[in-house]
Amino acid sequence: MTEEQFYQLIKNAEDHPDYLYKKDAYYSNGYTEIVFQDSYEIYHREDDVESNVGWADIEKVIYNPETLNIIYVCFHANDTGVYNLDEVAYFSRFSILEEDYVKSIE
């Protein structure tokens, strides 16, 4: 995509009626988040056999103007404890730890 197309997509996201705020992405230098929804709960199991998502409503656009890279994140896990944490592409892509993520949205 061209630089002009990139900035038009960013403007479209910022002009969206569900836009909440914009902030630097703590987990990756150079990236910024445009946030529409951002809630996450950790699921605590007694047996610690596998890690599952407790609850998640995440909708955001993540972008890096240096690389013209845009990532669209839409993740809804509204059935407590059934979605395997290892399958959350957003967390895997950026090596995000649940505990750090929860702290970043509090």
Side-chain angles (χ1 to χ4, degrees):
M1 97 176 66
T2 67
E3 191 171 333
E4 183 178 322
Q5 291 169 322
F6 173 85
Y7 283 107
Q8 184 60 53
L9 289 171
I10 299 306
K11 183 181 179 328
N12 291 349
E14 291 173 339
D15 291 344
H16 192 279
D18 293 333
Y19 171 91
L20 293 177
Y21 57 88
K22 182 166 60 171
K23 68 177 185 176
D24 290 337
Y26 77 90
Y27 46 80
S28 189
N29 289 334
Y31 278 86
T32 300
E33 297 182 342
I34 297 172
V35 179
F36 305 106
Q37 274 191 308
D38 206 4
S39 62
Y40 188 89
E41 294 177 16
I42 297 172
Y43 179 65
H44 299 284
R45 292 177 60 123
E46 292 180 20
D47 58 13
D48 283 338
V49 173
E50 64 180 17
S51 296
N52 291 330
V53 175
W55 188 273
D57 283 309
I58 302 171
E59 291 183 16
K60 56 179 70 175
V61 175
I62 304 164
Y63 67 94
N64 184 324
E66 292 178 22
T67 62
L68 301 182
N69 192 18
I70 297 178
I71 300 168
Y72 295 88
V73 178
C74 182
F75 177 53
H76 295 279
N78 299 150
D79 197 357
T80 304
V82 297
Y83 199 98
N84 192 306
L85 183 60
D86 292 339
E87 296 174 2
V88 180
Y90 171 45
F91 284 16
S92 297
R93 162 65 171 82
F94 291 104
S95 300
I96 297 172
L97 301 176
E98 281 183 307
E99 294 81 8
D100 294 338
Y101 193 80
V102 170
K103 288 177 189 174
S104 79
I105 60 176
E106 291 179 334

